[in-house]
Amino acid sequence: MKKGRAFFISSLFLPVRLSPLKMTTAMLENAHPLWEQFRQELQSVSSLGQWTQLRDRYLSRQRGLITLEVKKLGRLSAEERPSAGQRLNVLKVQVEKALENHYQLLKEQERFRQLQSERIDVTLPGYYPRRGRIHPLRRIQREMEEIFMRMGFQVALGPELEWDYYNFEALNMPPGHPARDTQDTLYITENLLLRTHTSPVQIRTMQQQPPPVRIVVPGKVFRRDAVDATHSPMFHQMEGLVVDAGITFADLKGTLEAFLKELFSPQTRVRFQPSYFPFVEPGAEVVISCIFCSGTGCRVCKQNGWIEVMGAGMVHPKVLQKVGYDPETYTGFAWGMGIDRIAMLKYQIDDLRIFFENDVRFLSQF
Ligand code: PHE
């Protein structure tokens, strides 16, 4: 900002009292010659330092110009002395008053200068903090949880570090069972491992409560896999388990079909193909019509028209027995699906790795 304008604003907004001393004609005629001299000098005082100098120059108790004049009074005759004395008194009062006014002016100017230098332009746009976002995997997980919660499911969680017993044995995979080999397990000790699926939480939940059970279990799972576009040693699953008296395969079909239609679209077709998992009987592989080409064949479904989305089945009687549920009274179904895979499909992502690279350019799109 230019100086001239600053001063303009200052004189506009600050109560600057230059106080022209009201002087009567008599006073002017009678004015002491020092008055005019003082006024001249006062005009060039533009700092508090100069102001102090000028004050002392006129009013100092020892050598002030006015003080010296007062001392000279003694040399005057008795007739001259009263009027000369009065003239000096008037001068002194005028000088003090002018000094005081000028002091206020300098103070106000200084304050204005300070305000100017600390001036903040409140019309400038502020710095926005970068807003965090929900990770796409977490987002889809919540969406899935919400659909199941609306159906009456509860969310259950279990440990990522798991006993062999829960991960395999209680799920009808005793030591030496060939299905163990297909899981590429990461062992910590002989009995302790990183869970290869979320199914052990089926066992933990059933051990803790009697039927009915209606849970979904989201979480991390681990497998000894090399990283590529569709594999990662850590990925996410969502397990589901329903156990009650009179649960049938029709319940399994109805539940999963309703879920998949809600997650993808009402047009999605759902198919159940025979499959094998030791902890279910019968077991199924759930496939949906390709959500990109609706089944006509494209790159995503590898020209197949169908995409596999989960494994499922009726809970094996041996599993129910292991947790103390009577398989004659209770039946149930379970499923397990890859959250990462569902997210890849829903968000059309063709490389699993970008979920774990934490590149904000990717993450900020969700
Ligand atoms: N746990 C199985 C897997 O990880 C999936 C599954 C869960 C299959 C429940 C059937 C029932 O492959």
Side-chain angles (χ1 to χ4, degrees), residues 183 196-197 199 202 223 237 239 277 279-280 311-313 334-336:
Q183 300 257 350
T196 59
H197 51 181
S199 301
Q202 288 187 32
R223 290 188 194 176
Q237 281 190 340
E239 191 85 7
F277 301 94
F279 37 93
V280 290
W335 74 86

Side-chain angles (χ1 to χ4, degrees), residues 101-272:
N101 283 340
H102 203 76
Y103 183 82
Q104 295 301 334
L105 173 71
L106 291 175
K107 272 288 187 202
E108 274 158 9
Q109 282 176 350
E110 185 187 72
R111 187 173 140 72
F112 181 74
R113 266 195 299 274
Q114 192 182 347
L115 287 176
Q116 278 297 307
S117 72
E118 290 171 4
R119 202 175 137 100
I120 294 165
D121 184 351
V122 292
T123 66
L124 276 176
Y127 298 102
Y128 290 94
R130 277 236 232 169
R131 204 140 115 211
R133 282 162 200 261
I134 308 241
H135 191 281
L137 288 178
R138 191 64 86 181
R139 201 178 121 149
I140 195 96
Q141 178 191 317
R142 286 190 188 169
E143 209 176 307
M144 290 158 71
E145 283 171 12
E146 269 159 29
I147 297 173
F148 283 117
M149 286 194 294
R150 284 201 292 275
M151 294 181 177
F153 284 78
Q154 288 188 316
V155 176
L157 300 172
E160 291 164 13
L161 191 60
E162 188 55 282
W163 297 108
D164 178 283
Y165 178 80
Y166 290 104
N167 197 80
F168 291 126
E169 201 163 337
L171 288 164
N172 199 26
M173 285 181 276
H177 194 286
R180 286 182 172 222
D181 300 343
T182 65
Q183 300 257 350
D184 295 314
T185 312
L186 289 156
Y187 282 95
I188 306 297
T189 68
E190 211 185 312
N191 283 318
L192 205 58
L193 46 82
L194 294 175
R195 67 179 178 192
T196 59
H197 51 181
T198 41
S199 301
V201 189
Q202 288 187 32
I203 306 300
R204 287 178 173 275
T205 306
M206 288 190 285
Q207 273 185 350
Q208 277 165 25
Q209 64 168 89
V213 173
R214 264 190 303 274
I215 54 157
V216 286
V217 184
K220 288 187 170 72
V221 299
F222 306 84
R223 290 188 194 176
R224 198 154 43 78
D225 268 329
V227 175
D228 66 26
T230 55
H231 292 87
S232 162
M234 184 280 294
F235 57 102
H236 301 81
Q237 281 190 340
M238 184 175 278
E239 191 85 7
L241 174 69
V242 172
V243 184
D244 203 351
I247 298 290
T248 70
F249 201 93
D251 296 310
L252 180 158
K253 284 186 73 176
T255 304
L256 294 179
E257 194 169 328
F259 165 76
L260 290 166
K261 281 181 191 287
E262 181 150 356
L263 184 68
F264 292 108
S265 83
Q267 286 76 44
T268 309
R269 281 164 292 147
V270 182
R271 224 159 65 174
F272 297 81

